[in-house]
Amino acid sequence: MTTLMESKTLNDCILAYSENIVFEKLTAQELIELALKPGNDLAITSSRQELVTRGKDNIQLRIAIKKSCKTVISDLEMVLKRFDFENNTDKKTVKSYKNQFLNVISLLDKLQLEWQKHDLALKR
């Protein structure tokens, strides 16, 4: 839960300056968090593209990005399980976390698909 709060603060800072961001200077974790934050579509698209580009020719970074996504997924799973045990949880909050959960899975799938396309193009 602490990681989620830290990333929320980080995302708020990044989105406040989204026009001035140099995406190449952000870490993979920052790019993942930015790609998952609803709001500025340009920042989301640019951060996703940067993640794809970084993982194309760097297997170690590709693995690190996958691990970061899986960490976010497991954190969200724990939060959602906790909400299942609490009967008085706000439905909007639960829905928000479920959407984040699905967005992370979607991001990971899209990244893997783009990397596979790149790998197949290299073989031809």
Side-chain angles (χ1 to χ4, degrees):
M1 187 67 174
T2 305
T3 2
L4 292 174
M5 294 304 293
E6 289 172 359
S7 66
K8 183 179 181 338
T9 305
L10 173 68
N11 283 337
D12 292 342
C13 293
I14 290 173
L15 287 176
Y17 303 102
S18 61
E19 292 84 25
N20 302 327
I21 293 177
V22 178
F23 289 93
E24 293 82 19
K25 292 184 180 181
L26 295 176
T27 65
Q29 184 63 38
E30 291 170 334
L31 287 168
I32 290 168
E33 297 298 331
L34 185 58
L36 298 173
K37 182 76 173 177
N40 188 343
D41 291 337
L42 178 62
I44 291 170
T45 305
S46 299
S47 60
R48 287 181 179 209
Q49 186 58 43
E50 181 63 25
L51 285 168
V52 168
T53 303
R54 287 186 188 185
K56 280 184 178 177
D57 296 320
N58 190 336
I59 299 298
Q60 281 74 26
L61 188 56
R62 190 183 292 189
I63 292 168
I65 291 170
K66 286 181 185 181
K67 283 183 180 180
S68 295
C69 287
K70 289 179 182 182
T71 301
V72 173
I73 289 170
S74 67
D75 289 346
L76 288 170
E77 280 179 329
M78 288 190 324
V79 169
L80 289 170
K81 284 180 184 178
R82 187 182 55 135
F83 285 152
D84 285 342
F85 292 119
E86 298 174 6
N87 294 330
N88 58 351
T89 306
D90 182 30
K91 291 186 182 207
K92 284 186 177 182
T93 305
V94 173
K95 184 177 179 179
S96 172
Y97 280 110
K98 284 182 180 180
N99 284 338
Q100 287 178 1
F101 178 78
L102 294 174
N103 286 339
V104 176
I105 292 173
S106 174
L107 173 65
L108 183 58
D109 287 344
K110 287 177 184 178
L111 289 173
Q112 290 177 338
L113 180 63
E114 289 298 321
W115 293 331
Q116 282 180 340
K117 286 179 186 178
H118 175 74
D119 293 345
L120 290 173
L122 289 177
K123 291 180 182 179
R124 290 183 183 179

